[in-house]
Amino acid sequence: MIVEIGHFALVLALAVALVQSVLPMLGARRGDARLMDVAVSSAGMGFVLVALAFTALAIAHVWSDFSVLNVFQNSHSQKPLLYKITGVWGNHEGSMLLWVLILAIFGAALALTGRDVPASLKARVLAVQAWITSAFLVFILATSNPFARLVPAPIEGQDLNPILQDIGLAVHPPLLYLGYVGFSIAFSFAVAALIDGRIDAAWARWVRPWILIAWLFLTLGIAMGSYWAYYELGWGGWWFWDPVENASLMPWLSGTALLHSALVMEKRLALKVWTILLSILTFSLSLLGTFLVRSGVLTSVHAFATDPARGVFILCILIAFIGGSLALFAWRAGTLEPGGLFQPISREGALVFNNLFLTTASATVLVGTLYPLLLEVVTGGKISVGAPFFDLTFGPLMVPLLFAVPFGPLLAWKRGDLLAAAERLYLVAGAALAATILALALTSGTKILAALGFGLSVWLLLGSLVDLVGRAGFGRLAPGLALRRLAGLPSSAFGAALAHLGLGLTLLGVVTVSAFSTETIRVMRPGETQAAGGYELRFEGILSRAGPNYTEEVGNFALLRDGAVRDRMESAKRFYPARQVPTTEAGIRTYWLSQLYIALGDASGDGRVVRIWYKPLITLIWLGALAMAAGGALSLADRRLRIGAPARAKLRRGDAVPA
C-alpha cells in the first residue's frame, strides 16, 4: 500500500507543479498578489509530496519488497541495511527521484527564506523552478517509474551493483545533486530577470547565496566521487577524465566563474549580461551531465541507464530549457541597461580574466567529452579522447589563471595598481622561486614541470594570505592591533582566502603524486617482501572470509621498518553471487599526508599478483577540496549576505527595482 501512496504522491506533485508553473507567472504579469502567493504554498506542498514519494520508495527498499521492480533489480535480502538505504538512489529511477526531491527542497527553501525578494520576482523564479520540476516529473512517470510492480513477486532480489555497495555512495550522489540542482535557482533567477527585463545589484545579492550553496556542494560531491573511485575501483587513480567525471567538472568551472561574476555585479553593477548568461550556461551543463549519465550514449562505471528512449526524452528536456533560455537571452539581453565601467587593471578586470579562462577551460572539457560521441553519430567511427588531450589543453589554460589568483584581491575596484599589487607579492614570488629551485636541485633537473608546479603551488598557498595580512596591517601596526583588525574582517574575506589556499593544496597534491608516485606490479608468494614508501611489505598469505552477501579472499600484509612489524594491511578480492561480479577492495594506509595502496590481483601459480603504489602527499588533493568548500561556507556565513537587498523605501528615486 505504501508503494501506491508514493506513486499517487508523485502524480499529485506533478499536478501541483503544473499549477505552480502557470498561476504565479500570470499573477506577476497582472500584479495579482493572490495568484503570486500560490507560488509559495505550492512550492511547500510540492516538497511534501515528493518527500512522501521518496520515503515510500526508501521503505520498500528497507523492507525488501521485491514486488517492486526497482527493489528487485537493485536490492537483496542479505544486503546490509546501510546499502539498502543507499540503494534507493544507486539506480536510474531512484536517482532521478532524488534529483527531483532536491529540486523541491531548493524551491521550498526559496519560498520560505526569500522574504526580501520582491513578490513578483519571487513568483516568477518559483514558476520557472516548477517548469523544471514538471518536466522531470513527467520524465519519471512516463519512462522511469520507480514504483512499477512485478506480478508475481520474486522471492529474492538481484542485488545492487557491487561497486556501489560502499559508504561513498551514501555521500557522493546527494552532494553532487545538491550542486547540480542548486544551480537551478540561479537559472530560474536569470530567466525571471529576462522576462521582467530588469536586473541590478539587488538581484545579484539575492542570487549569490544560492550560487555559493550549489558551488560548495558540487565541490564536495566531486571530491567525494574522486576519492570513491580512487579506493573502490582498485585502479589507484584519483581522476580518469571519464566523460561522467567531466560532466561534473564542467558546471563546477562555469559555476566558479558565475560566483565571481555575481560578486562583480553586486559590488560594481558590472557584468550584468555576462552573469545572466553564466547562470543559464551553468545549469545547462548540469542538465547535460544528467543526459550523459542517463541517456545510454556512453559506457562508464558512473552511468546509470542504457535505455536510448530515456535519452531521447532527456534530450528533449535539454533542448527545451537550454534552447528556450538562450533564445530568451538573445531576445532580451539587448534591453538590459549597461553596468558600471572599469579599467582593465582593476579587481573587475582580474575577475573577467578569471572568468574567461574558466569558461574556456569548461568549453575545452566539453569539446573533449562530446566530440567522440558526435563523431560516432555522424560517421559511425569510434575514437577515444583521454588524458593526453586534456593534459595538453586543460593544463595550459589553468597555469595563467592560477598565477593570476593572488593578484585579484589586491587590486582596487574600478581602477587598480598592478605594480603596487606585485610589490606586495614580492616575498611570495621569492618563496615560489626558491621552492622551484629546490625542487630542481632535489630531482637533479629531471622533473622541470614538477618543479614549476611546486613553485606555482607555493605561489598560491602564500599568495592567498597576502590580502588578509595587508588588510589587518601586519608590518604597519602593532601586533596586538593587527590581530584585532584581522579578527574584525568579514568572514567572506577569510572564505576567499581559504578557498584559494585550498586550490593551492590541491595543486600541490596533484603535482607531487603525478611526479613522484611509484608503482610496482609483481607476483608475491607468502613470506616475500617488497620495498615501498620507506617500508618493507611482507605478504603473509590469503585468508577466506564470508560477508553478508559476498565471499572474499583477503591478502594479509605486514609493514616492516628496520626489521620490526609497524603495521598491517589487508587487500581483498570479493565475489557477489547474486550479481556474479567480483570487486577489488584496496588496502590503504595513510602516513602523514601520503598513502600506501595495495590491490590484490588474481592467482598466479603459488602466488598472487599484487599492485603496490606509494602516493606522496595525495591526501592534499582532497584536503584542498575540503578547504575550498569550507571557504565557501565561511563566505556564506557573512552577515552581509543574510541582510539582503535594501528595502524599496530606502532606494533613491529613479533606481531600477525588479517588478
Side-chain angles (χ1 to χ4, degrees), residues 113-481:
T113 61
R115 296 183 182 90
D116 56 337
V117 180
S120 60
L121 178 63
K122 185 175 179 179
R124 287 189 174 102
V125 172
L126 289 174
V128 177
Q129 282 288 110
W131 296 351
I132 304 169
T133 304
S134 300
F136 279 95
L137 283 173
V138 170
F139 171 73
I140 290 174
L141 292 169
T143 71
S144 309
N145 182 9
F147 300 107
R149 288 282 196 179
L150 282 175
V151 180
I155 297 175
E156 189 55 88
Q158 295 178 337
D159 208 355
L160 181 66
N161 185 342
I163 67 171
L164 301 181
Q165 294 187 38
D166 182 82
I167 188 64
L169 185 68
V171 180
H172 168 53
L175 288 176
L176 201 64
Y177 287 5
L178 283 166
Y180 275 163
V181 180
F183 284 120
S184 68
I185 297 289
F187 173 85
S188 297
F189 263 98
V191 172
L194 288 172
I195 293 173
D196 185 56
R198 297 179 184 176
I199 180 173
D200 57 9
W203 180 92
R205 175 68 63 87
W206 292 319
V207 76
R208 195 158 71 90
W210 300 101
I211 299 172
L212 260 174
I213 291 171
W215 181 88
L216 186 160
F217 281 116
L218 187 56
T219 302
L220 291 174
I222 292 173
M224 185 66 249
S226 169
Y227 192 65
W228 170 79
Y230 168 71
Y231 73 79
E232 177 63 25
L233 299 181
W235 299 342
W238 53 273
W239 192 263
F240 305 97
W241 293 111
D242 180 281
V244 180
E245 290 176 328
N246 296 347
S248 64
L249 179 61
M250 289 184 289
W252 186 88
L253 292 169
S254 61
T256 305
L258 172 61
L259 187 59
H260 291 87
S261 183
L263 177 64
V264 175
M265 183 177 166
E266 179 187 345
K267 300 293 186 183
R268 292 283 305 134
L269 199 57
L271 305 184
K272 292 197 295 185
V273 174
W274 182 238
T275 304
I276 292 289
L277 180 60
L278 280 175
S279 299
I280 293 172
L281 292 179
T282 301
F283 184 61
S284 297
L285 290 172
S286 296
L287 291 177
L288 179 63
T290 303
F291 170 72
L292 290 176
V293 175
R294 292 165 181 81
S295 62
V297 300
L298 55 85
T299 301
S300 166
V301 295
H302 306 80
F304 281 126
T306 57
D307 184 356
R310 292 171 175 172
V312 172
F313 201 115
I314 296 181
L315 184 61
C316 292
I317 294 175
L318 252 71
I319 293 172
F321 283 102
I322 298 176
S325 58
L326 290 177
L328 179 62
F329 173 80
W331 177 44
R332 300 287 284 179
T335 66
L336 298 178
E337 296 178 1
L341 300 178
F342 55 88
Q343 295 296 317
I345 304 300
S346 61
R347 189 173 299 188
E348 296 97 324
L351 292 173
V352 169
F353 179 87
N354 163 85
N355 283 4
L356 289 175
F357 274 88
L358 284 171
T359 50
T360 303
S362 183
T364 299
V365 177
L366 178 65
V367 170
T369 304
L370 294 186
Y371 178 72
L373 305 177
L374 295 175
L375 184 66
E376 183 177 357
V377 170
V378 175
T379 67
K382 292 187 177 182
I383 64 168
S384 175
V385 176
F389 168 81
F390 293 105
D391 292 343
L392 290 174
T393 55
F394 183 82
L397 284 171
M398 288 293 100
V399 172
L401 172 62
L402 296 176
F403 179 77
V405 164
F407 282 97
L410 303 181
L411 295 172
W413 293 106
K414 194 173 182 180
R415 183 190 298 271
D417 188 338
L418 186 61
L419 181 59
E423 288 176 350
R424 295 174 63 183
L425 290 167
Y426 74 93
L427 288 178
V428 175
L433 181 61
T436 303
I437 295 172
L438 179 61
L440 283 172
L442 292 176
T443 59
S444 302
T446 58
K447 295 186 180 292
I448 297 176
L449 291 179
L452 293 174
F454 277 119
L456 187 57
S457 301
V458 171
W459 170 259
L460 274 173
L461 289 169
L462 298 181
S464 64
L465 305 176
V466 170
D467 182 52
L468 292 179
V469 171
R471 292 173 68 175
F474 285 101
R476 295 184 290 105
L477 303 174
L481 178 58

Side-chain angles (χ1 to χ4, degrees), residues 13-25 35 38-39 42 127 130 134:
L14 174 58
V16 170
L18 292 173
V19 170
Q20 184 183 338
S21 300
V22 177
L23 293 185
M25 193 68 74
L35 289 179
V38 171
S42 47
S134 300

